[in-house]
Amino acid sequence: MARMRAEERLDQAIDIFWEGGYYDTSIDQLFDRTDFHRAEVYGKFGSKRGLFQATLRRYREKVIAVFFEPLARPDAALADIDRFFRKAL
């Protein structure tokens, strides 16, 4: 089986945290269901909490930034703001 890219592994960790929540997700579940290894998690993220914070950053990059992208454009107008809020409802 090919090794997942770092972004794919963070995406998988997002799903795992989403399913069980931070406190009910064990570090062993994360190791079992992603391609992360213990040394890598502790070396790169420092802890389960550090991995969780990395997943939040990844979620922000992947989902939240895309959601707000129409408002971040330099040519965004009042109509864009109106569409944004109509979609959000």
Side-chain angles (χ1 to χ4, degrees), residues 1-6 8-9 12 33-36:
M1 180 162 114
R3 186 156 169 85
M4 288 188 277
R5 291 185 357 250
E8 293 171 321
R9 293 184 288 160
Q12 184 66 33
R33 293 182 53 195
T34 67
D35 207 12
F36 282 121

Side-chain angles (χ1 to χ4, degrees), residues 8-72:
E8 293 171 321
R9 293 184 288 160
L10 281 176
D11 291 344
Q12 184 66 33
I14 289 169
D15 293 340
I16 296 165
F17 280 123
W18 189 265
E19 292 167 11
Y22 175 79
Y23 290 108
D24 291 332
T25 299
S26 73
I27 194 75
D28 288 327
Q29 286 175 303
L30 292 163
F31 296 146
D32 290 344
R33 293 182 53 195
T34 67
D35 207 12
F36 282 121
H37 297 283
R38 187 172 300 276
E40 180 181 15
V41 167
Y42 290 109
K44 185 181 260 186
F45 305 109
S47 64
K48 174 184 158 185
R49 181 182 179 96
L51 175 58
F52 182 69
Q53 290 170 333
T55 63
L56 292 176
R57 285 189 296 276
R58 172 71 177 152
Y59 184 82
R60 184 177 61 221
E61 292 168 4
K62 184 178 170 189
V63 177
I64 303 299
V66 172
F67 185 69
F68 284 103
E69 189 275 328
L71 300 179

